Amino acid sequence: MLLLFPNWFGDLYKLPISIILLLATANVCYGVYALWLAFSKQRTSASVALLAVANAAWFPVCIAIVLIYAQTASVVGLTFISLEALFVAFLSFYEWNNRHLLAKVCSTC
């Protein structure tokens, strides 16, 4: 949605379009890679670990955006990015701790 309506979200979040596009690009990259992993028959612990590390790296980026734009962004924008930070932190923790289990491919699914 962010990629389709960057100006609208920029106005809603009171953030520069460049930040909206950064958020959108990261979300699309994550979605494509996660979907590829979900359907992959060659999932490895390393490929799941890469997803976990990417999510862990995205957490401080979200926090930095919140801190940098705390005075100018809208409450909606700050809330959305803060919740995204919490979500990716939890997700990276889960993915890392379960990377070996998540690497297994169900042959009967």
Side-chain angles (χ1 to χ4, degrees):
M1 295 302 290
L2 292 174
L3 274 179
L4 294 176
F5 306 105
N7 292 324
W8 187 84
F9 280 102
D11 290 342
L12 178 65
Y13 294 171
K14 301 290 185 236
L15 289 170
I17 298 302
S18 60
I19 297 298
I20 299 298
L21 293 175
L22 173 68
L23 294 168
T25 302
N27 287 325
V28 167
C29 290
Y30 169 82
V32 168
Y33 187 67
L35 198 59
W36 174 80
L37 274 181
F39 289 106
S40 177
K41 300 275 187 215
Q42 299 159 349
R43 213 169 25 238
T44 64
S45 293
S47 62
V48 176
L50 177 61
L51 191 64
V53 169
N55 278 326
W58 189 241
F59 172 77
V61 173
C62 290
I63 297 302
I65 292 169
V66 168
L67 293 175
I68 291 167
Y69 293 99
Q71 300 300 315
T72 56
S74 70
V75 172
V76 173
L78 294 173
T79 301
F80 174 82
I81 298 169
S82 297
L83 290 173
E84 184 170 343
L86 292 173
F87 180 72
V88 297
F90 169 78
L91 205 52
S92 69
F93 176 80
Y94 177 83
E95 291 162 343
W96 183 260
N97 287 326
N98 294 287
R99 64 191 180 280
H100 302 296
L101 178 63
L102 293 169
K104 294 181 181 175
V105 177
C106 178
S107 60
T108 60
C109 297

